[in-house]
Amino acid sequence: MDTAQTLAGQVAVITGAGRGIGAAIARKLATMGATAVLCGRTPSALDATARTILDAGGKTDVIPCDVTVLHQFEYAAARVDSTFGRLDILVNNAGVGGFSSPLHQLAPDAWDRILNTNLRGVFFAIRAFAPLMIRARSGHIINISSLAGKNALPNGAAYAASKWGLNGLTYSVAEELRVHNLRVSVICPGSTETELSPHAGKDPSKMLQPDDIAHAVAMLTTQAPQSFVSEILLRPTQKP
């Protein structure tokens, strides 16, 4: 798929862009001509992603943002609006894991951390950024979920709940926003080699790589305007 400069002039916000899948998505969208606006909690990690984009001749901006804090998203949206006057793509990628214990042994604050980041954070992002797209009657929101939002995940019930919830949120918001000519999609990757995923007993060489998810995002953002893929299930070719 030749996507060089197909997003020229567009602006994309990517959460969790400091590492892993988020960084790969940001780099991919920048190579396609978009200005990649990097959001995340760790400025040093965001700066590292930005350097790789700039070194490759891409365009980027950095806005440190904790996805669990609504007013930080509101600030980020106002800054995107004042700087660029538009937002074309929102990728809700920021997430945390939790795979260490059965639910009845999980500490309540661990539950809150997972659900607040993986689910409420997406709500906050859509609340803050969707109005920019609605105003333009154009835009694409892409939520990065997981196959754990489709299948049982023992010792990861809170994480699975956040992703099942994210899938349901995506399908419903897609119906709400299609009247404004916005497209809302969800990508559910399987085992991916990142800091987030549990690696016990798995062969990293057979796992998905962050660039595989970035490729799926590129496919979604280059669809013809009269259609949209609402869901992508992405699996490794060989079981790791």
Side-chain angles (χ1 to χ4, degrees):
M1 179 176 58
D2 183 7
T3 57
Q5 299 304 304
T6 53
L7 301 180
Q10 295 193 29
V11 177
V13 167
I14 306 98
T15 69
R19 58 178 60 86
I21 293 171
I25 292 170
R27 291 192 298 267
K28 182 65 174 179
L29 295 179
T31 65
M32 297 167 68
T35 298
V37 180
L38 314 179
C39 293
R41 291 182 297 183
T42 309
S44 59
L46 297 176
D47 290 341
T49 301
R51 282 194 297 273
T52 65
I53 292 172
L54 294 171
D55 289 346
K59 299 176 182 178
T60 188
D61 194 9
V62 173
I63 307 178
C65 180
D66 185 334
V67 301
T68 67
V69 182
L70 177 58
H71 72 79
Q72 293 190 18
F73 264 139
E74 292 171 337
Y75 165 78
R79 182 167 145 184
V80 167
D81 195 17
S82 63
T83 302
F84 304 105
R86 63 186 294 167
L87 178 62
D88 304 278
I89 300 164
L90 169 63
V91 182
N92 289 307
N93 164 76
V96 296
F99 315 99
S100 59
S101 68
L103 186 67
H104 70 278
Q105 295 177 354
L106 186 71
D109 61 346
W111 168 275
D112 290 342
R113 181 179 69 93
I114 294 167
L115 271 292
N116 288 349
T117 302
N118 296 358
L119 188 55
R120 191 168 70 173
V122 176
F123 159 53
F124 284 171
I126 292 173
R127 178 179 170 86
F129 285 110
L132 277 66
M133 297 177 169
I134 291 171
R135 184 182 68 197
R137 289 195 56 79
S138 177
H140 203 143
I141 298 171
I142 301 170
N143 298 328
I144 307 301
S145 183
S146 168
L147 287 181
K150 295 285 185 178
N151 306 312
L153 183 64
N155 296 324
Y159 179 80
S162 72
K163 296 303 186 179
W164 282 72
L166 179 56
N167 292 350
L169 179 150
T170 302
Y171 310 144
S172 299
V173 172
E175 291 303 308
E176 294 171 358
L177 295 182
R178 66 192 304 181
V179 298
H180 300 288
N181 201 41
L182 272 62
R183 304 188 291 190
V184 185
S185 307
V186 64
I187 300 174
C188 299
S191 299
T192 307
E193 189 182 9
T194 67
E195 298 173 6
L196 178 68
S197 300
H199 289 245
K202 295 191 176 184
D203 181 351
S205 68
K206 295 180 180 178
M207 297 173 75
L208 295 172
Q209 299 301 309
D211 284 340
D212 295 321
I213 293 84
H215 178 75
V217 171
M219 292 186 342
L220 292 174
T221 59
T222 53
Q223 292 171 90
Q226 74 275 7
S227 66
F228 77 101
V229 175
S230 60
E231 179 182 70
I232 292 178
L233 307 183
L234 193 61
R235 293 181 170 88
T237 301
Q238 300 180 54
K239 286 192 175 182

